């Protein structure tokens, strides 16, 4: 491996804990959702944990990410508080955005998480902006723009690639190609197999990355982040990943997926399982350590859900705060 | 024999009948079929296009998430012989393709002195109530009504949804068709044969002699509830549903105000530079002497739509505020209320 060290044991444990936290969070939101206490639109990240985790493990607390409508994983990997996230998803006082944002708008600027986004590719230009900001302010902060395969078809994404290339911005575009935009397959909507060549056409280094393997993502991200941090400009990582749940909770019967597709993915293409098997084989972790992490994570998520269920609604006076001008 | 359909089914029936009637009608948007390019069954579409591709496999398309391109393509196709019905999903996404609506669709006919016509329908889901947050709940019709060259339609009932969609498709100009997400599963009587509700004709949803309530979209049903409450107190409200805000049937509103002498406008949009203020201003300018009390408007507050139900419910105007506004505009009654 080139310019960056292999992850040490502490980082490997962190990587596992982060991926497990995302998975547990999402599985739990999925089981809680039919109870009716979680309002609105929730898009789950389960299956794609290796991408958020592999990227964010090479970022510092000061670096920026901009996320998508499927943003819980990015937020957790960037260090957002899971209880405050859960409160937000339940729309409660004390939520990360005071209950005014919800799942699709979780943001934590203090941790460099510039927000999930309700608009496909809506966050990508914002990342160009945080990258410009770092460059002008003379810091070495790096910005990461997450976008789906579907969102990558937006003009805003294409234009952001151009701007980043021309301004040589310290940015990494991370495409998460999970095979679908809602119910429409990439085979139909992408106009080609990969997104990577779109960046290459502009002189932006790009790679297709196995988003099932967190260490492959980490390695690609480490190179890209180092390039950005050292003034080498933008990179695009085209990560192939898998979505375990439907597009959106409570809505999607997934009739468009092949018979048994999700079961097969869960059995054969689960990034957590892959990591755990390797961790045991290479003796980074013992079975007991894994069980211990799993139990701690479960307790954390249990606590978050309990807090969210018992928390109060935001006060009505919040309706007109942060509007700049009211009449 | 009466036949009851949901608002959503009524829009779908209009699409199907108009496609049957006119081979130049094409329908497209994200997941308007649903499942294209996937290994399972097609048909994950929800909403009015569900099942449509089975009847018209060559005229219903899924699109990539490329609103600027496909809305623009709808404009170009409309100008060259088709009648496209393009689906924005949430009207909030107009943000990413506004040029094609504002500078292309709206301007072609005028700039070419009528050489080009743009018979396009842009379907746009709007409104608060579904806990979708600030980027999926806006009520943006005033922005479109502000632009000369666009027609803006907001059906309040299933029957009007069908008839107005048929009219919008047959119209030779670009029509933005606003579908309230909270009305999709409301039901009403809908005649089966094709019919048209002309653009620019208001409907008197309920006659009354004491106060005119002009209500838009989802607010029509709220105004009717308010009218029930007020009727029990002896105030007879006339509920006017303009059905289209561009063109706006202002004459029906003037006529009603001339009969009642009082006006309340109920509009779910934010208050500044909006339709409620516009109607109030038109009445003040052209029917001032008919007024026997101040005009009142009932709108959302000047704020984005909050996510959490507690705040979203407080955000959305409804029957209670309409009742209060009517009482406040009828001086005798306002006095009575103070006394009680
Ligand atoms: C501009 C815009 N158009 C349409 C939508 C509706 N929408 C929300 S998510 C989505 C699919 C996104 O697919 P992708 O980018 O691949 O992300 P994934 O859901 O697979 O994570 C669509 C069409 C939107 N949010 N924004
Ligand atoms: Mg996708």
């Amino acid at each position: 491996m080139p310019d960056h060290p292999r992850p040490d044991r502490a980082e490997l444990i962190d990587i596992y804990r982060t991926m497990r936290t995302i998975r547990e969070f999402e599985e739990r939101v999925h089981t809680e959702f039919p109870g009716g206490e979680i309002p609105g639109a929730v898009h789950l990240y389960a299956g794609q944990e290796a991408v958020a985790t592999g990227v964010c493990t090479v970022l510092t607390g000061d670096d920026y990410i901009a996320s998508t409508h499927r943003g819980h994983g990015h937020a957790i990997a960037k260090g957002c508080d899971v209880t405050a996230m859960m409160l937000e998803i339940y729309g409660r006082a004390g939520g990360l955005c005071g209950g005014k944002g919800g799942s699709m708008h979780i943001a934590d600027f203090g941790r460099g998480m510039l927000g999930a986004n309700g608009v496909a590719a809506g966050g990508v230009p914002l990342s160009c902006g945080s990258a410009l900001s770092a460059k002008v302010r003379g810091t070495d902060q790096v910005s990461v723009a997450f976008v789906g395969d579907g969102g990558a078809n937006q003009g805003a994404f294409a234009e952001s690639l151009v701007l980043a290339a021309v301004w040589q911005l310290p940015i990494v575009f991370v495409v998460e190609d999970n095979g679908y935009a809602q119910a429409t397959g990439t085979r139909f909507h992408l106009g080609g197999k990969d997104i990577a060549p779109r960046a290459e056409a502009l002189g932006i280094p790009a790679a297709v990355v196995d988003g099932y393997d967190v260490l492959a993502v980490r390695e690609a991200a480490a190179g890209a982040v180092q390039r950005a941090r050292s003034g080498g400009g933008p990179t695009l990582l085209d990560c192939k990943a898998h979505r375990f749940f439907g597009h959106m909770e409570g809505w999607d019967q997934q009739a468009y997926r092949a018979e048994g597709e999700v079961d097969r993915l869960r059995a054969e293409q689960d990034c957590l399982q892959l990591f755990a098997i390797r961790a045991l084989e290479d003796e980074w972790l013992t079975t007991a350590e894994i069980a211990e992490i799993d139990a701690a994570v479960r307790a954390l998520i249990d606590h978050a859900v309990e807090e969210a269920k018992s928390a109060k609604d935001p006060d009505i006076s919040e309706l007109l705060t942060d509007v700049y001008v009211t009449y | 024999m009466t036949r009851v359909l949901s608002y959503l089914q009524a829009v779908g029936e209009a699409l199907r009948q108009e496609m049957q009637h006119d081979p130049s009608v094409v329908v497209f948007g994200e997941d308007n079929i649903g499942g294209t390019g996937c290994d399972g069954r097609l048909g994950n579409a929800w909403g009015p296009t569900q099942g449509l591709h089975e009847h018209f496999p060559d005229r219903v398309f899924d699109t990539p998430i490329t609103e600027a391109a496909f809305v623009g393509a709808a404009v170009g196709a409309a100008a060259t012989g088709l009648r496209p019905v393009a689906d924005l999903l949430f009207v909030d996404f107009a943000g990413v393709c506004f040029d094609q609506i504002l500078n292309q669709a709206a301007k072609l006919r005028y700039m070419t002195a009528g050489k080009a016509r743009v018979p396009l329908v842009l379907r746009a889901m709007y409104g608060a109530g579904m806990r979708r947050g600030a980027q999926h709940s806006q009520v943006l019709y005033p922005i479109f009504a502000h632009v000369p060259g666009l027609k803006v339609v907001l059906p309040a009932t299933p029957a009007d949804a069908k008839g107005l969609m048929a009219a919008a498709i047959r119209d030779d100009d670009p029509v933005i068709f606003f579908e309230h997400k909270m009305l999709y599963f409301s039901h009403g009587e809908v005649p089966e044969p094709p019919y048209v509700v002309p653009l620019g004709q208001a409907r008197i949803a309920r006659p009354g002699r004491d106060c005119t309530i002009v209500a838009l979209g989802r607010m029509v049903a709220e105004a009717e509830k308010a009218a029930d409450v007020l009727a029990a107190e002896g105030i007879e409200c006339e509920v006017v549903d303009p059905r289209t805000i561009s063109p706006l049937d202002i004459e029906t509103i003037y006529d009603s105000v001339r009969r009642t002498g009082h006006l309340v406008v109920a509009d779910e949009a934010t208050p500044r530079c909006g339709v409620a203020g516009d109607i109030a201003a038109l009445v003040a300018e052209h029917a001032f002497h008919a007024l026997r009390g101040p005009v009142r408007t009932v709108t959302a507050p000047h704020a984005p739509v909050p996510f959490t139900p507690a705040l979203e419910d407080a955000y959305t105007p409804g029957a209670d505020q309409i009742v209060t506004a009517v009482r406040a505009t009828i001086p005798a009654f306002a006095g009575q209320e103070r006394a009680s």
Side-chain angles (χ1 to χ4, degrees):
Chain A
M1 257 178 262
D3 325 292
H4 50 278
R6 272 189 66 84
D8 57 19
R9 203 177 100 90
E11 188 182 344
L12 289 165
I13 291 173
D14 261 358
I15 285 173
Y16 180 73
R17 184 182 296 109
T18 301
M19 291 207 293
R20 175 57 66 198
T21 305
I22 299 171
R23 176 66 55 85
E24 191 73 26
F25 190 96
E26 299 296 63
E27 296 278 1
R28 187 64 187 270
V29 169
H30 178 75
T31 51
E32 293 293 335
F33 192 86
E37 282 181 87
I38 298 174
V42 175
H43 308 85
L44 298 179
Y45 193 73
Q48 303 179 205
E49 292 87 350
V51 180
T53 307
V55 169
C56 291
T57 185
V58 297
L59 298 179
T60 69
D62 290 338
D63 290 331
Y64 297 111
I65 66 169
S67 171
T68 68
H69 58 287
R70 202 175 298 289
H72 303 169
H74 308 136
I76 291 172
K78 196 68 177 63
C80 294
D81 181 81
V82 293
T83 300
M85 283 178 62
M86 197 65 87
L87 286 160
E88 187 61 32
I89 291 168
Y90 275 78
R92 308 293 194 200
L96 211 37
C97 301
K100 284 163 120 171
S103 164
M104 251 195 302
H105 302 291
I106 285 180
D108 188 352
F109 275 59
R111 292 183 190 275
M113 165 53 174
L114 306 186
N117 211 299
V119 180
V124 179
L126 304 184
S127 275
C128 288
S130 57
L132 175 69
S133 168
K135 194 168 171 168
V136 171
R137 287 184 287 107
T139 72
D140 70 351
Q141 291 161 289
V142 171
S143 294
V144 173
F146 289 100
V147 69
D149 49 278
N153 281 328
Q154 279 286 297
F157 177 75
E159 293 178 25
S160 295
L161 290 180
V162 176
L163 193 65
V166 169
W167 281 355
Q168 282 296 290
L169 295 174
I171 185 169
V172 184
F173 298 95
V174 178
V175 178
E176 294 186 76
D177 177 357
N178 60 7
Y180 297 95
Q182 294 188 162
T184 302
T186 41
R187 217 163 0 109
F188 176 76
H189 79 66
L190 211 55
K193 206 162 94 22
D194 301 317
I195 306 281
R198 301 186 193 179
E200 283 163 351
L202 295 165
I204 297 175
V208 173
V209 179
D210 183 359
Y212 159 55
D213 178 353
V214 69
L215 296 182
V217 175
R218 179 191 177 277
E219 183 179 340
V225 166
Q226 203 206 5
R227 175 177 299 118
R229 219 183 285 292
S230 59
T235 305
L236 183 141
L237 305 178
D238 184 351
C239 303
K240 308 299 180 188
H242 305 293
R243 191 189 80 197
F244 285 176
F245 291 113
H247 172 67
M248 187 171 97
E249 287 310 281
W251 172 79
D252 185 353
Q253 308 309 318
Q254 303 209 69
Y256 51 88
R257 298 184 92 156
E259 190 76 28
E261 177 183 321
V262 175
D263 292 339
R264 188 181 50 75
L265 289 175
R266 281 194 182 263
E268 296 169 14
Q269 294 278 300
D270 180 344
C271 55
L272 262 153
Q273 205 178 61
L274 174 72
F275 185 88
I277 289 170
R278 270 210 217 140
L280 293 173
E281 268 175 17
D282 294 357
E283 298 180 355
W284 308 327
L285 286 166
T286 64
T287 315
E289 283 169 327
I290 287 182
E292 200 179 306
I293 295 172
D294 290 356
V297 166
R298 202 163 306 122
L300 179 73
I301 303 299
D302 282 346
H303 172 76
V305 171
E306 270 165 41
E307 291 278 311
K309 285 185 171 181
S310 59
K312 287 204 188 63
D313 286 333
D315 192 83
I316 296 295
S317 65
E318 295 294 325
L319 185 59
L320 296 180
T321 58
D322 296 316
V323 193
Y324 322 139
V325 183
T326 53
Y327 299 88
Chain B
M1 261 258 295
T2 63
R3 190 187 59 137
V4 169
L5 290 187
S6 71
Y7 183 96
L8 188 152
Q9 289 169 322
V11 175
E13 184 164 276
L15 294 175
R16 198 171 69 247
Q17 290 179 345
E18 291 309 302
M19 291 183 87
Q20 197 82 56
H21 158 87
D22 180 351
S24 70
V25 178
V26 294
V27 167
F28 49 82
E30 289 146 29
D31 281 353
N32 269 9
I33 303 173
T36 310
C38 299
D39 294 330
R41 285 181 289 117
L42 286 177
N44 204 67
W46 79 285
T49 65
Q50 197 166 38
L52 205 57
H53 73 284
E54 287 159 23
H55 300 277
F56 309 103
D58 301 328
R59 288 194 279 145
V60 183
F61 318 118
D62 277 344
T63 65
I65 312 177
T66 52
E67 287 84 357
F70 79 71
V71 171
V75 178
T80 55
L82 297 186
R83 288 183 180 270
V85 181
D87 182 3
L88 260 188
L89 301 176
F90 294 79
V91 70
D92 314 69
F93 307 154
V96 304
C97 58
F98 209 37
D99 173 65
Q100 297 299 327
I101 302 168
L102 169 76
N103 290 319
Q104 314 303 332
K107 304 295 194 284
L108 266 187
R109 177 176 167 189
Y110 189 82
M111 292 190 307
T112 62
K115 289 187 184 65
R117 298 301 292 266
V118 184
L120 153 72
V121 179
L122 192 56
R123 294 185 38 239
M125 181 165 54
Y126 77 104
M130 216 181 249
R131 288 65 168 103
R132 285 298 188 275
Q135 295 176 338
H136 284 73
S137 307
Q138 296 172 85
V139 183
L140 296 177
Y141 47 69
I143 292 180
F144 296 88
H146 182 73
V147 178
L150 299 178
K151 294 181 177 174
V152 181
V153 174
L154 20 142
T157 67
D160 280 351
K162 176 174 172 180
L164 289 167
M165 176 54 86
I169 292 173
R170 295 182 195 190
D171 197 274
D172 283 336
D173 294 310
V175 177
I176 320 297
F177 193 87
F178 277 82
E179 301 169 10
H180 200 298
K181 56 176 80 74
M182 299 307 286
L183 292 180
Y184 269 149
F185 301 101
S186 64
H187 287 77
E189 205 178 306
V190 178
E192 192 155 359
Y195 61 91
V196 160
V197 172
L199 306 185
Q201 268 184 27
R203 172 178 72 103
I204 308 284
R206 172 188 179 119
R209 58 167 198 269
D210 296 326
C211 181
T212 300
I213 307 173
V214 176
L216 302 172
R218 189 187 180 194
M219 290 301 111
V220 174
E222 295 299 313
E224 287 172 323
K225 276 188 238 162
D228 283 340
V229 171
L230 291 159
E233 302 171 12
I235 303 177
E236 294 298 337
C237 291
E238 177 146 297
V239 178
V240 179
D241 169 8
R243 302 199 281 201
T244 68
I245 53 170
S246 182
L248 176 67
D249 179 3
I250 193 68
E251 290 305 328
T252 295
I253 295 172
Y254 294 154
D255 283 350
S256 177
V257 173
R258 285 188 190 112
R259 275 183 279 108
T260 64
H262 298 283
L263 175 63
V264 167
V265 190
D267 177 3
E268 189 187 323
T270 50
R272 300 277 77 81
C273 306
V275 182
D278 191 44
I279 290 173
L282 284 167
V283 168
E285 197 163 335
H286 300 287
F288 182 72
H289 296 293
L291 287 171
R292 282 181 280 121
V295 177
R296 299 281 172 187
T297 60
V298 175
T299 68
H302 186 71
V305 184
F307 160 69
T308 189
L311 296 185
E312 191 183 34
D313 291 344
Y315 177 93
T316 315
D320 290 351
Q321 285 122 299
I322 298 172
V323 167
T324 306
V326 169
R327 286 176 184 153
T329 188
I330 299 180
F333 198 84
Q336 205 177 318
E337 210 186 28
R338 245 174 272 124
S340 66

